[in-house]
């Protein structure tokens, strides 16, 4: 439920700020993912056109609007600019707004937004090179640890979430090793296992379990869309991230709906 101060005009104002901030975050995360996938630093160097190397000016870096104004082309060389840029900016804007509406103005909102941004970035990287960067996982774990004293009620609750992370990571590691022996090839990447451990850290046992199930369903759907054959590798990170994000934002309602559907 939203805090009392986030209603009417105040809510509209902060919702607008969330959309603007989210679009800017999406632009940064897309750039960071692109550079991480190519082994480049995302904290140094100005943004430039991948085709001609033209350094982008401020008016060329406005999320979504710059792409629309330039009709999806570089102003300098005329090369096409991938629609991935405005789409990721719009997606991140909506994610940021959803986080604000779900958690209100709070440290919990900030912590979960960092987690969602890490999921977003690692999904882009994994989609491109089939590798989950450890930096995203470490950033998410650090955000959890720094905010734990402010969002968790006691050290016992913190231990429960830590235990969930260890259990999910350990259980999937064992399952992955067993499947490797059965299939005689890698079945679950180390990055996926570490990602599930971080998901358990944020969602706990109940939410984490539903996230695992949802991630597997989304993974099967993704494999079907990509037309991957059984056993053929594909980027599982985006499916895990989507499942975790859905559970983080709307998990309570989904679990209540599911349990209600089992009642006779």
């Amino acid at each position: 439920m939203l805090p009392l101060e986030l209603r009417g005009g105040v809510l509209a104002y902060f919702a607008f700020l969330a959309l603007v901030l989210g679009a800017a975050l999406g632009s940064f995360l897309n750039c960071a993912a692109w550079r991480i996938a190519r082994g480049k630093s995302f904290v140094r160097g100005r943004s430039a056109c991948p085709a001609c190397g033209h350094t982008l000016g401020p008016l060329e870096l406005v999320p979504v609007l710059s792409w629309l104004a330039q009709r999806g082309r570089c102003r300098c060389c005329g090369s096409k600019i991938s629609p991935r840029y405005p789409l990721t900016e719009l997606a991140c804007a909506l994610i940021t707004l959803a986080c604000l509406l779900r958690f209100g103005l709070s440290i919990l909102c900030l912590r979960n937004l960092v987690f969602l941004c890490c999921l977003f970035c690692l999904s882009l990287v994994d989609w491109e090179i089939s590798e989950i960067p450890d930096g995203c996982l470490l950033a998410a774990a650090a955000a959890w640890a720094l905010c734990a004293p402010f969002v968790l009620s006691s050290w016992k609750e913190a231990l429960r979430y830590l235990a969930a992370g260890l259990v999910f990571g350990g259980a999937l590691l064992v399952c992955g090793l067993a499947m490797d022996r059965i299939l005689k090839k890698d079945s679950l990447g180390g990055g996926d296992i570490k990602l599930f451990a971080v998901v358990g850290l944020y969602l706990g046992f109940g939410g984490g379990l539903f996230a695992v199930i949802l991630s597997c369903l989304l993974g099967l759907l993704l494999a079907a869309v990509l037309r991957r054959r059984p056993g053929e590798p594909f980027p599982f990170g985006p499916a895990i991230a989507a499942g975790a994000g859905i559970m983080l934002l709307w998990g309570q309602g989904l679990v209540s709906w599911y349990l209600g559907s089992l009642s006779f």
Side-chain angles (χ1 to χ4, degrees), residues 58-80:
L59 294 179
E60 296 171 290
L61 293 171
V62 180
V64 182
L65 297 180
S66 292
W67 189 88
L68 292 174
Q70 295 170 201
R71 298 181 180 180
R73 292 184 178 275
C74 173
R75 183 175 59 85
C76 187
C77 67
S79 299
K80 287 186 177 181

Side-chain angles (χ1 to χ4, degrees), residues 196-220:
F196 272 122
V198 176
V199 169
L201 195 63
Y202 274 81
L203 299 180
F205 285 104
L209 179 59
F210 274 89
V212 170
I213 296 172
L214 185 56
S215 298
C216 292
L217 293 175
L218 292 173
L220 291 174

Side-chain angles (χ1 to χ4, degrees), residues 101-113:
L101 296 177
R102 174 65 180 84
F103 302 106
L105 288 176
S106 63
I107 295 178
L108 179 62
C109 179
L110 178 61
R111 186 203 73 170
N112 289 342
L113 180 59

Side-chain angles (χ1 to χ4, degrees), residues 32-44:
W34 189 90
R35 293 189 182 188
I36 291 171
R38 288 158 181 79
K40 299 180 179 181
S41 171
F42 63 89
V43 295
R44 289 181 294 180

